[in-house]
Amino acid sequence: MKILVVGTGAREHALVRALSLDPAVDELHAAPGNPGIGGLATLHTVNPLDGREVAELATDLGVDLVVVGPEAPLVAGVADAVSAAGIAVFGPSGEAARLEGSKAFAKEIMAAAGVPTAEPRVATTIVEAEQALDELGAPYVVKDDGLAAGKGVVVTDDRHVALEHARTCLLKPGGRVVVEEFLDGPEVSLFVLSDGTDVVPLVPAQDFKRALDGDEGPNTGGMGAYSPLPWAPADLVDEVVERVARPTIAEMARRGTPFAGVLYCGLALTSAGVRVVEFNARFGDPETQVVLARLATPLAGVLMAVAQGRLSELAPLEWRDDAAVTVVVASEGYPTSSRTGDPIVGIVQADALDSVHVLHAGTADRDGVVVSDGGRVLSVVGTGADLAAARERAYAGVGLIGLVGSQHRTDIALEASRG
Ligand code: AMP
Ligand code: GLY
């Protein structure tokens, strides 16, 4: 099988790595990719947001499958363009990707499908936003309606801060904000594959969204993740499949915009039960790094079954007993700014450690030297018999990485590993 993966992050590196380990895959391409991905796949320069360019590349390469990693190309309709060129694609249509592209749309679908979520108010003016804040009360949750790379959400007790965020979002052309009820309780990410009809859940993971230890600091794209979740209720996956994934997939199909790809269910386990915090239309980053580290079934056949509407024929997925932990190494200033262009040392040494692999996120190749090129720079993955062992290995890897001014959280999976 020949496969083209679209995207540049550690999630795409994890996808390419898993595909490279699948004996059914004989050629791997990535666009635009990054230096880490370049070690496993042939890289191509392409504008990932331009469906025509991606479809042309896929056609020229004669690939059997295109896997679209990030949300922006999906929302821009890249999967539609690839499909129209007669090539199988893993990733939803632009219409279906609105589940991630518009938080207001996602809430509308959840309401229609009876999926439990925080009660929302959609505001298009500052007066409406103020009313919503006062009706729902503190802690305030204010979300930019559109895509914001995980940084569009503010959760605060400070009404002034909440209102300022609403104001910033509303100033954008067509700006809308969603103000919603605060959900208390631990968060879980569950990825559910769907071909538009059937659903197959992967294993749950937990992401650490805040920049600093102890869940302090601003929201980020994600600073680390682990799987499994020893503390989660045994019936969690079944409950999410039945109460969240199936009704959502059915509602999308009923509207004539079936969702095929991976439905990322971001959940809060509140005292009143499971609630959806958000939907995404793609694999999560950094959760994918730990989920794929545990998947024993070869990945290409799974993604192909989704793309070809054959999930019902897929044998049950197999999982390793190992636990996995990933720690994100971010550049100085992330998420507010990011310092780029600094050389990174120790990647090869960290990667050589037993049960450790290093995935590239924001890196670039400068005359043969790997340099930082983004906010999240690397995602170091450790696996082991339990979370404590996996965590120790991931941090041993992080300890070997040298990057001026870099930052990482020191408490990824700490509490869960003490379980
Ligand atoms: P989202 O982009 O919707 O996933 O939000 C990013 C993060 O903000 C989530 O992972 C939560 O940590 C937090 N968050 C979002 N919505 C809520 C909510 N209703 N209550 C509490 N925290 C929230
Ligand atoms: N880990 C959060 C996300 O991928 O949106």
Side-chain angles (χ1 to χ4, degrees), residues 90-140:
F90 180 89
S93 67
E95 276 291 312
R98 288 181 70 212
L99 271 183
E100 171 162 7
S102 165
K103 290 187 189 287
F105 175 73
K107 290 290 185 185
E108 181 191 319
I109 295 292
M110 284 188 260
V115 170
T117 186
E119 199 189 324
R121 302 271 190 286
V122 179
T124 53
T125 66
I126 201 70
V127 173
E128 284 172 7
E130 264 186 292
Q131 275 169 358
L133 291 174
D134 295 336
E135 264 178 61
L136 294 171
Y140 303 105

mmCIF file of all heavy atoms in Angstrom, residues 90-140:
data_model
loop_
_atom_site.group_PDB
_atom_site.id
_atom_site.type_symbol
_atom_site.label_atom_id
_atom_site.label_comp_id
_atom_site.label_asym_id
_atom_site.label_seq_id
_atom_site.Cartn_x
_atom_site.Cartn_y
_atom_site.Cartn_z
ATOM 1 N N PHE A 90 -8.659 9.252 4.477
ATOM 2 C CA PHE A 90 -9.018 9.146 5.889
ATOM 3 C C PHE A 90 -9.157 10.562 6.417
ATOM 4 O O PHE A 90 -8.169 11.298 6.521
ATOM 5 C CB PHE A 90 -7.964 8.385 6.694
ATOM 6 C CG PHE A 90 -8.317 8.276 8.150
ATOM 7 C CD1 PHE A 90 -9.075 7.205 8.610
ATOM 8 C CD2 PHE A 90 -7.943 9.263 9.045
ATOM 9 C CE1 PHE A 90 -9.440 7.128 9.957
ATOM 10 C CE2 PHE A 90 -8.302 9.193 10.381
ATOM 11 C CZ PHE A 90 -9.050 8.114 10.839
ATOM 12 N N GLY A 91 -10.383 10.943 6.751
ATOM 13 C CA GLY A 91 -10.661 12.300 7.222
ATOM 14 C C GLY A 91 -12.012 12.702 6.676
ATOM 15 O O GLY A 91 -12.352 12.368 5.544
ATOM 16 N N PRO A 92 -12.795 13.439 7.479
ATOM 17 C CA PRO A 92 -14.152 13.800 7.064
ATOM 18 C C PRO A 92 -14.196 14.878 5.994
ATOM 19 O O PRO A 92 -13.233 15.622 5.802
ATOM 20 C CB PRO A 92 -14.776 14.314 8.354
ATOM 21 C CG PRO A 92 -13.628 14.820 9.153
ATOM 22 C CD PRO A 92 -12.466 13.926 8.819
ATOM 23 N N SER A 93 -15.338 14.981 5.344
ATOM 24 C CA SER A 93 -15.611 16.058 4.379
ATOM 25 C C SER A 93 -15.614 17.396 5.110
ATOM 26 O O SER A 93 -15.733 17.441 6.347
ATOM 27 C CB SER A 93 -16.993 15.834 3.768
ATOM 28 O OG SER A 93 -17.976 16.021 4.779
ATOM 29 N N GLY A 94 -15.508 18.474 4.361
ATOM 30 C CA GLY A 94 -15.551 19.812 4.953
ATOM 31 C C GLY A 94 -16.837 20.041 5.738
ATOM 32 O O GLY A 94 -16.824 20.597 6.832
ATOM 33 N N GLU A 95 -17.949 19.560 5.178
ATOM 34 C CA GLU A 95 -19.245 19.716 5.862
ATOM 35 C C GLU A 95 -19.226 18.997 7.208
ATOM 36 O O GLU A 95 -19.668 19.543 8.222
ATOM 37 C CB GLU A 95 -20.363 19.096 4.994
ATOM 38 C CG GLU A 95 -20.894 20.010 3.923
ATOM 39 C CD GLU A 95 -21.678 21.162 4.529
ATOM 40 O OE1 GLU A 95 -22.533 20.917 5.393
ATOM 41 O OE2 GLU A 95 -21.403 22.312 4.136
ATOM 42 N N ALA A 96 -18.735 17.761 7.209
ATOM 43 C CA ALA A 96 -18.739 16.969 8.452
ATOM 44 C C ALA A 96 -17.720 17.513 9.453
ATOM 45 O O ALA A 96 -17.917 17.430 10.673
ATOM 46 C CB ALA A 96 -18.479 15.495 8.137
ATOM 47 N N ALA A 97 -16.624 18.096 8.938
ATOM 48 C CA ALA A 97 -15.591 18.640 9.826
ATOM 49 C C ALA A 97 -16.079 19.877 10.573
ATOM 50 O O ALA A 97 -15.407 20.363 11.484
ATOM 51 C CB ALA A 97 -14.324 18.966 9.038
ATOM 52 N N ARG A 98 -17.262 20.385 10.209
ATOM 53 C CA ARG A 98 -17.830 21.506 10.974
ATOM 54 C C ARG A 98 -18.072 21.122 12.431
ATOM 55 O O ARG A 98 -18.201 21.983 13.289
ATOM 56 C CB ARG A 98 -19.148 21.978 10.343
ATOM 57 C CG ARG A 98 -18.922 22.723 9.040
ATOM 58 C CD ARG A 98 -20.246 23.177 8.465
ATOM 59 N NE ARG A 98 -20.851 24.249 9.264
ATOM 60 C CZ ARG A 98 -22.148 24.425 9.411
ATOM 61 N NH1 ARG A 98 -23.015 23.594 8.832
ATOM 62 N NH2 ARG A 98 -22.619 25.423 10.116
ATOM 63 N N LEU A 99 -18.127 19.822 12.707
ATOM 64 C CA LEU A 99 -18.245 19.376 14.103
ATOM 65 C C LEU A 99 -17.106 19.953 14.938
ATOM 66 O O LEU A 99 -17.236 20.163 16.139
ATOM 67 C CB LEU A 99 -18.183 17.850 14.186
ATOM 68 C CG LEU A 99 -19.486 17.086 14.072
ATOM 69 C CD1 LEU A 99 -19.235 15.601 14.258
ATOM 70 C CD2 LEU A 99 -20.512 17.571 15.114
ATOM 71 N N GLU A 100 -15.956 20.179 14.279
ATOM 72 C CA GLU A 100 -14.844 20.851 14.949
ATOM 73 C C GLU A 100 -14.753 22.316 14.551
ATOM 74 O O GLU A 100 -14.402 23.161 15.373
ATOM 75 C CB GLU A 100 -13.515 20.160 14.624
ATOM 76 C CG GLU A 100 -12.322 20.965 15.119
ATOM 77 C CD GLU A 100 -11.025 20.205 15.232
ATOM 78 O OE1 GLU A 100 -10.963 19.033 14.797
ATOM 79 O OE2 GLU A 100 -10.063 20.782 15.785
ATOM 80 N N GLY A 101 -15.090 22.611 13.300
ATOM 81 C CA GLY A 101 -14.869 23.959 12.749
ATOM 82 C C GLY A 101 -15.761 25.019 13.355
ATOM 83 O O GLY A 101 -15.429 26.197 13.335
ATOM 84 N N SER A 102 -16.920 24.605 13.885
ATOM 85 C CA SER A 102 -17.804 25.562 14.546
ATOM 86 C C SER A 102 -18.337 24.939 15.831
ATOM 87 O O SER A 102 -19.040 23.930 15.800
ATOM 88 C CB SER A 102 -18.980 25.929 13.644
ATOM 89 O OG SER A 102 -19.987 26.559 14.415
ATOM 90 N N LYS A 103 -18.012 25.571 16.944
ATOM 91 C CA LYS A 103 -18.480 25.043 18.222
ATOM 92 C C LYS A 103 -19.997 25.172 18.328
ATOM 93 O O LYS A 103 -20.662 24.332 18.931
ATOM 94 C CB LYS A 103 -17.775 25.748 19.371
ATOM 95 C CG LYS A 103 -16.292 25.339 19.447
ATOM 96 C CD LYS A 103 -15.590 25.884 20.657
ATOM 97 C CE LYS A 103 -14.084 25.647 20.605
ATOM 98 N NZ LYS A 103 -13.667 24.269 20.831
ATOM 99 N N ALA A 104 -20.551 26.233 17.705
ATOM 100 C CA ALA A 104 -22.006 26.414 17.736
ATOM 101 C C ALA A 104 -22.680 25.275 16.958
ATOM 102 O O ALA A 104 -23.702 24.726 17.393
ATOM 103 C CB ALA A 104 -22.377 27.773 17.147
ATOM 104 N N PHE A 105 -22.100 24.885 15.806
ATOM 105 C CA PHE A 105 -22.652 23.771 15.028
ATOM 106 C C PHE A 105 -22.590 22.473 15.839
ATOM 107 O O PHE A 105 -23.558 21.700 15.890
ATOM 108 C CB PHE A 105 -21.875 23.611 13.711
ATOM 109 C CG PHE A 105 -22.303 22.420 12.896
ATOM 110 C CD1 PHE A 105 -23.515 22.422 12.214
ATOM 111 C CD2 PHE A 105 -21.501 21.290 12.822
ATOM 112 C CE1 PHE A 105 -23.911 21.311 11.469
ATOM 113 C CE2 PHE A 105 -21.889 20.176 12.075
ATOM 114 C CZ PHE A 105 -23.102 20.202 11.398
ATOM 115 N N ALA A 106 -21.443 22.242 16.498
ATOM 116 C CA ALA A 106 -21.302 21.021 17.305
ATOM 117 C C ALA A 106 -22.385 20.971 18.387
ATOM 118 O O ALA A 106 -22.998 19.920 18.634
ATOM 119 C CB ALA A 106 -19.910 20.969 17.934
ATOM 120 N N LYS A 107 -22.663 22.120 18.997
ATOM 121 C CA LYS A 107 -23.701 22.162 20.041
ATOM 122 C C LYS A 107 -25.075 21.858 19.446
ATOM 123 O O LYS A 107 -25.900 21.190 20.078
ATOM 124 C CB LYS A 107 -23.722 23.549 20.698
ATOM 125 C CG LYS A 107 -22.510 23.851 21.568
ATOM 126 C CD LYS A 107 -22.505 23.034 22.848
ATOM 127 C CE LYS A 107 -21.345 23.440 23.750
ATOM 128 N NZ LYS A 107 -21.229 22.595 24.951
ATOM 129 N N GLU A 108 -25.306 22.344 18.234
ATOM 130 C CA GLU A 108 -26.596 22.109 17.570
ATOM 131 C C GLU A 108 -26.777 20.604 17.309
ATOM 132 O O GLU A 108 -27.853 20.046 17.561
ATOM 133 C CB GLU A 108 -26.589 22.897 16.258
ATOM 134 C CG GLU A 108 -27.839 22.810 15.437
ATOM 135 C CD GLU A 108 -27.595 23.415 14.033
ATOM 136 O OE1 GLU A 108 -26.913 24.465 13.924
ATOM 137 O OE2 GLU A 108 -28.096 22.803 13.066
ATOM 138 N N ILE A 109 -25.713 19.964 16.831
ATOM 139 C CA ILE A 109 -25.783 18.521 16.574
ATOM 140 C C ILE A 109 -26.000 17.761 17.883
ATOM 141 O O ILE A 109 -26.823 16.839 17.968
ATOM 142 C CB ILE A 109 -24.481 18.022 15.882
ATOM 143 C CG1 ILE A 109 -24.341 18.650 14.503
ATOM 144 C CG2 ILE A 109 -24.432 16.501 15.802
ATOM 145 C CD1 ILE A 109 -25.361 18.189 13.488
ATOM 146 N N MET A 110 -25.276 18.169 18.917
ATOM 147 C CA MET A 110 -25.424 17.467 20.205
ATOM 148 C C MET A 110 -26.836 17.611 20.742
ATOM 149 O O MET A 110 -27.409 16.657 21.273
ATOM 150 C CB MET A 110 -24.394 17.981 21.209
ATOM 151 C CG MET A 110 -23.004 17.439 20.938
ATOM 152 S SD MET A 110 -21.831 17.846 22.250
ATOM 153 C CE MET A 110 -20.988 19.237 21.550
ATOM 154 N N ALA A 111 -27.404 18.807 20.599
ATOM 155 C CA ALA A 111 -28.770 19.016 21.077
ATOM 156 C C ALA A 111 -29.726 18.111 20.295
ATOM 157 O O ALA A 111 -30.586 17.430 20.872
ATOM 158 C CB ALA A 111 -29.164 20.481 20.925
ATOM 159 N N ALA A 112 -29.545 18.056 18.963
ATOM 160 C CA ALA A 112 -30.442 17.244 18.130
ATOM 161 C C ALA A 112 -30.285 15.757 18.430
ATOM 162 O O ALA A 112 -31.244 14.992 18.332
ATOM 163 C CB ALA A 112 -30.161 17.521 16.648
ATOM 164 N N ALA A 113 -29.061 15.347 18.782
ATOM 165 C CA ALA A 113 -28.793 13.917 18.994
ATOM 166 C C ALA A 113 -28.943 13.512 20.458
ATOM 167 O O ALA A 113 -28.774 12.341 20.803
ATOM 168 C CB ALA A 113 -27.378 13.588 18.498
ATOM 169 N N GLY A 114 -29.264 14.466 21.331
ATOM 170 C CA GLY A 114 -29.434 14.152 22.749
ATOM 171 C C GLY A 114 -28.125 13.783 23.438
ATOM 172 O O GLY A 114 -28.100 12.987 24.377
ATOM 173 N N VAL A 115 -27.024 14.369 22.976
ATOM 174 C CA VAL A 115 -25.712 14.069 23.569
ATOM 175 C C VAL A 115 -25.453 15.032 24.732
ATOM 176 O O VAL A 115 -25.618 16.240 24.588
ATOM 177 C CB VAL A 115 -24.607 14.224 22.489
ATOM 178 C CG1 VAL A 115 -23.225 14.157 23.100
ATOM 179 C CG2 VAL A 115 -24.778 13.162 21.406
ATOM 180 N N PRO A 116 -25.063 14.487 25.900
ATOM 181 C CA PRO A 116 -24.871 15.354 27.070
ATOM 182 C C PRO A 116 -23.661 16.276 26.929
ATOM 183 O O PRO A 116 -22.555 15.818 26.662
ATOM 184 C CB PRO A 116 -24.653 14.361 28.220
ATOM 185 C CG PRO A 116 -24.199 13.093 27.569
ATOM 186 C CD PRO A 116 -24.805 13.073 26.195
ATOM 187 N N THR A 117 -23.886 17.571 27.115
ATOM 188 C CA THR A 117 -22.800 18.554 27.007
ATOM 189 C C THR A 117 -23.139 19.758 27.871
ATOM 190 O O THR A 117 -24.253 19.849 28.393
ATOM 191 C CB THR A 117 -22.597 18.972 25.527
ATOM 192 O OG1 THR A 117 -21.450 19.817 25.442
ATOM 193 C CG2 THR A 117 -23.802 19.698 24.960
ATOM 194 N N ALA A 118 -22.175 20.682 28.023
ATOM 195 C CA ALA A 118 -22.433 21.885 28.809
ATOM 196 C C ALA A 118 -23.453 22.743 28.086
ATOM 197 O O ALA A 118 -23.407 22.884 26.865
ATOM 198 C CB ALA A 118 -21.141 22.673 28.980
ATOM 199 N N GLU A 119 -24.354 23.317 28.857
ATOM 200 C CA GLU A 119 -25.388 24.148 28.231
ATOM 201 C C GLU A 119 -24.756 25.416 27.639
ATOM 202 O O GLU A 119 -24.066 26.143 28.331
ATOM 203 C CB GLU A 119 -26.432 24.516 29.272
ATOM 204 C CG GLU A 119 -27.685 24.957 28.584
ATOM 205 C CD GLU A 119 -28.673 25.534 29.558
ATOM 206 O OE1 GLU A 119 -28.738 25.029 30.692
ATOM 207 O OE2 GLU A 119 -29.356 26.485 29.159
ATOM 208 N N PRO A 120 -24.992 25.648 26.338
ATOM 209 C CA PRO A 120 -24.328 26.787 25.688
ATOM 210 C C PRO A 120 -25.234 27.993 25.464
ATOM 211 O O PRO A 120 -26.449 27.880 25.427
ATOM 212 C CB PRO A 120 -23.976 26.202 24.327
ATOM 213 C CG PRO A 120 -25.128 25.280 24.015
ATOM 214 C CD PRO A 120 -25.647 24.761 25.338
ATOM 215 N N ARG A 121 -24.623 29.159 25.315
ATOM 216 C CA ARG A 121 -25.295 30.352 24.784
ATOM 217 C C ARG A 121 -24.385 30.866 23.676
ATOM 218 O O ARG A 121 -23.187 31.043 23.911
ATOM 219 C CB ARG A 121 -25.368 31.460 25.835
ATOM 220 C CG ARG A 121 -26.073 31.096 27.109
ATOM 221 C CD ARG A 121 -27.568 31.385 27.019
ATOM 222 N NE ARG A 121 -28.202 31.243 28.322
ATOM 223 C CZ ARG A 121 -28.451 30.077 28.909
ATOM 224 N NH1 ARG A 121 -28.117 28.950 28.320
ATOM 225 N NH2 ARG A 121 -29.016 30.035 30.098
ATOM 226 N N VAL A 122 -24.950 31.098 22.501
ATOM 227 C CA VAL A 122 -24.143 31.638 21.402
ATOM 228 C C VAL A 122 -24.354 33.147 21.351
ATOM 229 O O VAL A 122 -25.498 33.605 21.371
ATOM 230 C CB VAL A 122 -24.548 30.986 20.055
ATOM 231 C CG1 VAL A 122 -23.723 31.561 18.908
ATOM 232 C CG2 VAL A 122 -24.369 29.469 20.127
ATOM 233 N N ALA A 123 -23.261 33.908 21.323
ATOM 234 C CA ALA A 123 -23.381 35.370 21.303
ATOM 235 C C ALA A 123 -22.651 35.958 20.108
ATOM 236 O O ALA A 123 -21.562 35.507 19.750
ATOM 237 C CB ALA A 123 -22.807 35.955 22.598
ATOM 238 N N THR A 124 -23.284 36.958 19.478
ATOM 239 C CA THR A 124 -22.620 37.643 18.363
ATOM 240 C C THR A 124 -22.338 39.106 18.705
ATOM 241 O O THR A 124 -21.723 39.811 17.917
ATOM 242 C CB THR A 124 -23.475 37.585 17.073
ATOM 243 O OG1 THR A 124 -24.766 38.069 17.399
ATOM 244 C CG2 THR A 124 -23.586 36.180 16.532
ATOM 245 N N THR A 125 -22.816 39.555 19.859
ATOM 246 C CA THR A 125 -22.513 40.928 20.291
ATOM 247 C C THR A 125 -22.015 40.876 21.731
ATOM 248 O O THR A 125 -22.275 39.896 22.448
ATOM 249 C CB THR A 125 -23.768 41.829 20.269
ATOM 250 O OG1 THR A 125 -24.680 41.340 21.275
ATOM 251 C CG2 THR A 125 -24.440 41.828 18.914
ATOM 252 N N ILE A 126 -21.352 41.938 22.124
ATOM 253 C CA ILE A 126 -20.795 41.981 23.469
ATOM 254 C C ILE A 126 -21.919 42.009 24.519
ATOM 255 O O ILE A 126 -21.800 41.426 25.597
ATOM 256 C CB ILE A 126 -19.791 43.154 23.606
ATOM 257 C CG1 ILE A 126 -18.848 42.912 24.761
ATOM 258 C CG2 ILE A 126 -20.447 44.494 23.684
ATOM 259 C CD1 ILE A 126 -17.880 41.817 24.559
ATOM 260 N N VAL A 127 -23.057 42.635 24.153
ATOM 261 C CA VAL A 127 -24.188 42.682 25.088
ATOM 262 C C VAL A 127 -24.730 41.270 25.330
ATOM 263 O O VAL A 127 -24.984 40.860 26.467
ATOM 264 C CB VAL A 127 -25.296 43.633 24.546
ATOM 265 C CG1 VAL A 127 -26.542 43.568 25.413
ATOM 266 C CG2 VAL A 127 -24.767 45.051 24.453
ATOM 267 N N GLU A 128 -24.856 40.506 24.232
ATOM 268 C CA GLU A 128 -25.315 39.108 24.381
ATOM 269 C C GLU A 128 -24.318 38.298 25.205
ATOM 270 O O GLU A 128 -24.706 37.471 26.035
ATOM 271 C CB GLU A 128 -25.455 38.447 22.999
ATOM 272 C CG GLU A 128 -26.693 38.881 22.238
ATOM 273 C CD GLU A 128 -26.689 38.350 20.796
ATOM 274 O OE1 GLU A 128 -25.796 37.538 20.441
ATOM 275 O OE2 GLU A 128 -27.572 38.754 20.044
ATOM 276 N N ALA A 129 -23.033 38.541 24.970
ATOM 277 C CA ALA A 129 -22.013 37.803 25.720
ATOM 278 C C ALA A 129 -22.119 38.136 27.205
ATOM 279 O O ALA A 129 -22.070 37.240 28.057
ATOM 280 C CB ALA A 129 -20.617 38.146 25.192
ATOM 281 N N GLU A 130 -22.320 39.410 27.512
ATOM 282 C CA GLU A 130 -22.459 39.826 28.914
ATOM 283 C C GLU A 130 -23.661 39.160 29.575
ATOM 284 O O GLU A 130 -23.579 38.674 30.695
ATOM 285 C CB GLU A 130 -22.627 41.347 28.979
ATOM 286 C CG GLU A 130 -21.326 42.051 29.248
ATOM 287 C CD GLU A 130 -21.524 43.541 29.461
ATOM 288 O OE1 GLU A 130 -21.881 44.224 28.473
ATOM 289 O OE2 GLU A 130 -21.327 44.002 30.600
ATOM 290 N N GLN A 131 -24.781 39.141 28.832
ATOM 291 C CA GLN A 131 -25.995 38.503 29.369
ATOM 292 C C GLN A 131 -25.729 37.039 29.678
ATOM 293 O O GLN A 131 -26.103 36.513 30.720
ATOM 294 C CB GLN A 131 -27.123 38.576 28.343
ATOM 295 C CG GLN A 131 -27.890 39.878 28.407
ATOM 296 C CD GLN A 131 -28.831 40.013 27.202
ATOM 297 O OE1 GLN A 131 -28.864 39.146 26.321
ATOM 298 N NE2 GLN A 131 -29.586 41.099 27.180
ATOM 299 N N ALA A 132 -25.040 36.360 28.730
ATOM 300 C CA ALA A 132 -24.775 34.937 28.894
ATOM 301 C C ALA A 132 -23.876 34.698 30.103
ATOM 302 O O ALA A 132 -24.123 33.775 30.905
ATOM 303 C CB ALA A 132 -24.120 34.378 27.628
ATOM 304 N N LEU A 133 -22.863 35.533 30.280
ATOM 305 C CA LEU A 133 -21.956 35.375 31.428
ATOM 306 C C LEU A 133 -22.744 35.511 32.726
ATOM 307 O O LEU A 133 -22.559 34.731 33.667
ATOM 308 C CB LEU A 133 -20.847 36.432 31.389
ATOM 309 C CG LEU A 133 -19.806 36.283 30.276
ATOM 310 C CD1 LEU A 133 -18.861 37.473 30.256
ATOM 311 C CD2 LEU A 133 -19.019 34.987 30.447
ATOM 312 N N ASP A 134 -23.641 36.483 32.762
ATOM 313 C CA ASP A 134 -24.383 36.719 33.992
ATOM 314 C C ASP A 134 -25.409 35.628 34.261
ATOM 315 O O ASP A 134 -25.627 35.239 35.401
ATOM 316 C CB ASP A 134 -25.008 38.114 33.966
ATOM 317 C CG ASP A 134 -23.911 39.173 33.971
ATOM 318 O OD1 ASP A 134 -22.788 38.855 34.436
ATOM 319 O OD2 ASP A 134 -24.143 40.295 33.481
ATOM 320 N N GLU A 135 -26.011 35.113 33.198
ATOM 321 C CA GLU A 135 -26.986 34.020 33.385
ATOM 322 C C GLU A 135 -26.302 32.765 33.909
ATOM 323 O O GLU A 135 -26.812 32.087 34.787
ATOM 324 C CB GLU A 135 -27.598 33.656 32.034
ATOM 325 C CG GLU A 135 -28.910 34.325 31.741
ATOM 326 C CD GLU A 135 -29.358 33.913 30.344
ATOM 327 O OE1 GLU A 135 -29.554 32.708 30.126
ATOM 328 O OE2 GLU A 135 -29.450 34.804 29.483
ATOM 329 N N LEU A 136 -25.127 32.436 33.314
ATOM 330 C CA LEU A 136 -24.484 31.176 33.668
ATOM 331 C C LEU A 136 -23.600 31.285 34.905
ATOM 332 O O LEU A 136 -23.365 30.296 35.598
ATOM 333 C CB LEU A 136 -23.674 30.624 32.481
ATOM 334 C CG LEU A 136 -24.528 30.217 31.271
ATOM 335 C CD1 LEU A 136 -23.654 29.890 30.070
ATOM 336 C CD2 LEU A 136 -25.407 29.013 31.601
ATOM 337 N N GLY A 137 -23.088 32.476 35.190
ATOM 338 C CA GLY A 137 -22.286 32.676 36.396
ATOM 339 C C GLY A 137 -20.882 32.115 36.309
ATOM 340 O O GLY A 137 -20.523 31.430 35.357
ATOM 341 N N ALA A 138 -20.076 32.388 37.350
ATOM 342 C CA ALA A 138 -18.678 31.926 37.395
ATOM 343 C C ALA A 138 -18.638 30.455 37.838
ATOM 344 O O ALA A 138 -19.573 30.003 38.503
ATOM 345 C CB ALA A 138 -17.892 32.787 38.370
ATOM 346 N N PRO A 139 -17.539 29.708 37.533
ATOM 347 C CA PRO A 139 -16.468 30.092 36.617
ATOM 348 C C PRO A 139 -16.988 30.249 35.190
ATOM 349 O O PRO A 139 -17.844 29.478 34.762
ATOM 350 C CB PRO A 139 -15.487 28.917 36.688
ATOM 351 C CG PRO A 139 -15.955 28.025 37.792
ATOM 352 C CD PRO A 139 -17.363 28.372 38.109
ATOM 353 N N TYR A 140 -16.441 31.241 34.507
ATOM 354 C CA TYR A 140 -16.896 31.562 33.153
ATOM 355 C C TYR A 140 -16.121 30.757 32.116
ATOM 356 O O TYR A 140 -14.906 30.595 32.235
ATOM 357 C CB TYR A 140 -16.675 33.050 32.870
ATOM 358 C CG TYR A 140 -17.358 33.952 33.877
ATOM 359 C CD1 TYR A 140 -16.622 34.615 34.855
ATOM 360 C CD2 TYR A 140 -18.739 34.133 33.840
ATOM 361 C CE1 TYR A 140 -17.243 35.447 35.774
ATOM 362 C CE2 TYR A 140 -19.368 34.964 34.757
ATOM 363 C CZ TYR A 140 -18.623 35.615 35.730
ATOM 364 O OH TYR A 140 -19.233 36.432 36.632
#
